[in-house]
Amino acid sequence: MLTYGVVLLLLVQVVWRMPAAIRGRVRERSLWGAFAALACAWLMRSSLGRRLVDGLGVDDLATLLKHCLTIAGMCVLLRYIAAVYREGAAGGTPTRQARVTVAVQRYAVAAAVVACAGMAAVFLFVLHRGPVPVDSHFVDRHAGEPGLAVYMTLFYGYSGAVITLCGYQWASAARRAPRLALRTGLRVMAAGMALGALYSAVRAVYSVVVALHPIPVGAAHLQENVTDGLLYVAFLCWGLGVIAPATQAAVNRVRAYRMLAGLHPLWRDLALTAPDLVRHAPSRTLPGRRAADRLDTLRDLVSHDVSPHVRLGRYVTEIRDVIHALRRQAPHDLYQVALELAESEGHTGQDAEATAQAYWIMAARSAMRAPVREPGVPAEFPPAGEDFFSEEVPWLLRVCEAYTQADPAVAEEVLEDARTSA
């Protein structure tokens, strides 16, 4: 059951990261490929995987496929780390760790091909094979065969070297990681790689010993239980460590969608007021129908852009652009009249400013539909802030909340008072 649990964990990552792999670059595709190869390798450890390949007529083929897929997964994982370092060093001087990783990765593919070819040759022409007994282990089945030492040295030599390098790189990166989620994930991944390196070393030594001289059954079972435990814990640590930074990314996406939903009423009204200033017009399936309005809102929140963060940036930019267009035709005293009204309603401080801006936007939209002056010097309107996430977006959300609660009739009165005072 533990084997199927690891397979499920890896397959979830494969499905989850598939969109990023399709749209992404070498980095995203390499990480997806590592998960896919390792998921297939773990599947070959299960009875289901063995049954899938037994029909090909090659005894114990699942074991060879398991080992070759593991090497392929390790190779692609190293390619992922090298891609991360290349992107991080773009335009700057690469660190020694980056240079070492990139240099090793250049020869990793050739080394993987040599290792898999050598293992296949030993498997097919040197090892004595036959029907695989239930609950037996590959090393124990070939105890006393010198070819086993060659086969396992190729496998554990390659995978152990890559695992050790990955663990070292992730442990080093964890010390420099700025975010807690990323730092935690890298540490867990490094711990998993340390266990994986220990597993590879123990198994390599054991395989050589068994190939030269069979050991007692009790000692063999103890070794299998201990090393299998190391392998399971190592993969679980690695899988969970990869999830930790992704969890923070998921939290950020949810946060971006919440901000989009909060800004949508304001963005929609402004986009309909000045459709030439927005990149994508708001959806209007069946105007006036409540169910259709909800569907249109959902389509606006999830369509057109590659990510919610890009969409959020577009919303803010378009809100800013339309407000600037409104300022060119709004009465110059409109904001002062709106602020006085907000204060007379009992609002104070930033609440008064947010309410005043909401009234101003609503009144300026009416002024743009029925202008009384030619476009000219922009009317007064306070800026929302300089920093996008820490100032501008929270402030616009506050203004949007006041905007959705504002009375259009009151906004018309504000507009008339501003025109009269002008």
Side-chain angles (χ1 to χ4, degrees):
M1 291 302 294
L2 284 176
T3 300
Y4 289 111
V6 175
V7 171
L8 180 61
L9 177 64
L10 295 173
L11 287 178
V12 168
Q13 290 285 337
V14 169
V15 174
W16 185 8
R17 297 178 184 276
M18 186 175 293
I22 294 173
R23 298 192 305 262
R25 296 163 292 182
V26 174
R27 173 176 173 173
E28 290 77 11
R29 292 196 298 271
S30 298
L31 185 57
W32 180 86
F35 277 115
L38 293 173
C40 292
W42 273 88
L43 183 62
M44 293 297 103
R45 289 177 61 94
S46 67
S47 57
L48 174 61
R50 289 192 294 270
R51 286 197 299 269
L52 290 175
V53 299
D54 281 346
L56 298 177
V58 180
D59 294 327
D60 209 10
L61 180 60
T63 298
L64 178 62
L65 291 177
K66 175 184 69 176
H67 291 153
C68 290
L69 286 167
T70 300
I71 287 180
M74 293 292 105
C75 181
V76 180
L77 185 61
L78 184 60
R79 186 168 179 254
Y80 161 74
I81 295 178
V84 171
Y85 275 117
R86 286 194 185 97
E87 292 181 10
T93 303
T95 63
R96 183 180 63 180
Q97 292 174 332
R99 293 195 299 270
V100 170
T101 303
V102 172
V104 171
Q105 191 269 330
R106 289 173 184 168
Y107 304 100
V109 175
V113 172
V114 170
C116 290
M119 289 163 51
V122 173
F123 179 86
L124 294 173
F125 304 112
V126 178
L127 297 180
H128 302 293
R129 291 177 296 108
V132 179
V134 179
D135 296 332
S136 64
H137 298 282
F138 180 76
V139 173
D140 297 333
R141 291 196 298 271
H142 299 284
E145 299 181 39
L148 176 67
V150 178
Y151 182 98
M152 287 305 191
T153 298
L154 289 171
F155 174 64
Y156 288 118
Y158 185 93
S159 57
V162 174
I163 286 172
T164 301
L165 178 59
C166 291
Y168 170 72
Q169 299 291 17
W170 286 328
S172 300
R175 294 194 295 268
R176 303 186 301 270
R179 300 192 307 273
L180 177 61
L182 178 59
R183 191 161 56 248
T184 301
L186 288 170
R187 286 173 177 171
V188 174
M189 291 163 66
M193 293 298 101
L195 294 175
L198 178 60
Y199 165 83
S200 297
V202 172
R203 291 287 289 174
V205 172
Y206 174 76
S207 300
V208 172
V209 171
V210 170
L212 299 176
H213 188 277
I215 65 173
V217 175
H221 287 170
L222 176 62
Q223 180 275 149
E224 288 290 345
N225 292 333
V226 172
T227 53
D228 274 0
L230 287 174
L231 181 61
Y232 283 114
V233 175
F235 260 89
L236 287 174
C237 286
W238 179 65
L240 294 175
V242 173
I243 291 175
T247 302
Q248 182 61 49
V251 171
N252 292 339
R253 289 178 69 88
V254 171
R255 181 168 173 259
Y257 276 119
R258 292 179 62 183
M259 291 178 177
L260 283 169
L263 290 179
H264 183 266
L266 178 61
W267 170 82
R268 180 180 175 83
D269 283 357
L270 291 175
L272 292 174
T273 301
D276 294 339
L277 297 180
V278 298
R279 183 176 180 182
H280 301 288
S283 300
R284 302 188 72 184
T285 306
L286 294 172
R289 302 291 181 88
R290 180 172 299 181
D293 290 344
R294 292 174 180 173
L295 177 61
D296 289 339
T297 298
L298 180 61
R299 291 178 60 188
D300 290 339
L301 295 181
V302 301
S303 60
H304 301 307
D305 301 292
V306 296
S307 73
H309 296 89
V310 173
R311 197 170 305 116
L312 181 61
R314 176 169 63 85
Y315 271 31
V316 172
T317 300
E318 291 172 351
I319 288 173
R320 190 190 304 129
D321 291 345
V322 177
I323 287 178
H324 183 73
L326 294 176
R327 291 175 61 195
R328 295 176 61 84
Q329 290 185 307
H332 291 286
D333 296 333
L334 182 59
Y335 179 73
Q336 288 300 324
V337 174
L339 182 60
E340 291 173 3
L341 174 62
E343 292 174 344
S344 69
E345 291 178 345
H347 300 286
T348 59
Q350 291 187 338
D351 285 339
E353 294 177 11
T355 303
Q357 290 191 21
Y359 279 133
W360 186 97
I361 292 171
M362 194 171 289
R365 288 183 60 231
S366 297
M368 194 169 187
R369 289 194 296 266
V372 296
R373 74 177 178 102
E374 294 295 325
V377 177
E380 177 188 1
F381 190 84
E386 297 181 356
D387 186 84
F388 180 74
F389 274 106
S390 65
E391 295 180 16
E392 188 170 14
V393 173
W395 179 253
L396 288 177
L397 287 169
R398 195 167 187 172
V399 172
C400 185
E401 183 180 1
Y403 178 85
T404 57
Q405 298 173 358
D407 187 346
V410 176
E412 290 291 341
E413 294 177 5
V414 171
L415 178 60
E416 290 302 321
D417 291 344
R419 285 172 172 173
T420 301
S421 63

